[in-house]
Amino acid sequence: ASAAAPAAAPRSPPPPPPRPYLTRQPSETARAFAERAAYLRERFGPPPADELAAMRQAALSMVWQNSRQLGCRYPAGAEERAGCGAGRPLATGAAIEGEMRARGAR
């Protein structure tokens, strides 16, 4: 009788392409970093040539991620620019865990 092969460990997403001022934070998982990079590509398109705009976009990606994962709130203008405020309910630990599990099932 042949033994079943062990389940493969989940692979980390490939690193995102370089973008000015977008760096993985010390406590950020590879997956969370890849999601932030994808958010920037989808929301803003190619990296801007302007240094200030690049820094602002990187900061907004952290606003977006913190809002989604941790339920953090920011001034209305920052949430609007990041696309994470305006009527969006506050996150709870249970909602965040459920959302992360659902994404892992994809």
Side-chain angles (χ1 to χ4, degrees), residues 48-62:
D50 176 38
E51 184 177 10
L52 183 58
M55 284 191 281
R56 186 170 286 125
Q57 287 180 8
L60 288 173
S61 75
M62 288 184 260

Side-chain angles (χ1 to χ4, degrees), residues 1-2 10 12 21 27-28 49 53 75 77 81-82 84 91-92 97 104:
S2 72
S12 293
Y21 300 100
S27 62
E28 188 173 34
R81 284 189 295 278
C84 61
T92 66
E97 180 67 24

Side-chain angles (χ1 to χ4, degrees), residues 4-102:
R11 295 188 326 185
S12 293
R19 191 172 182 107
Y21 300 100
L22 178 66
T23 57
R24 184 173 167 189
Q25 301 302 303
S27 62
E28 188 173 34
T29 65
R31 180 177 171 179
F33 180 57
E35 288 177 353
R36 270 195 320 122
Y39 158 81
L40 284 173
R41 280 191 311 276
E42 292 168 13
R43 181 140 179 107
F44 299 106
D50 176 38
E51 184 177 10
L52 183 58
M55 284 191 281
R56 186 170 286 125
Q57 287 180 8
L60 288 173
S61 75
M62 288 184 260
V63 168
W64 176 81
Q65 187 78 314
N66 288 344
S67 173
R68 287 180 59 248
Q69 283 196 332
L70 304 174
C72 296
R73 296 305 305 254
Y74 293 88
E79 288 184 344
E80 184 179 320
R81 284 189 295 278
C84 61
R88 186 177 171 134
L90 290 172
T92 66
I96 292 167
E97 180 67 24
E99 183 179 331
M100 291 175 74
R101 285 183 184 184

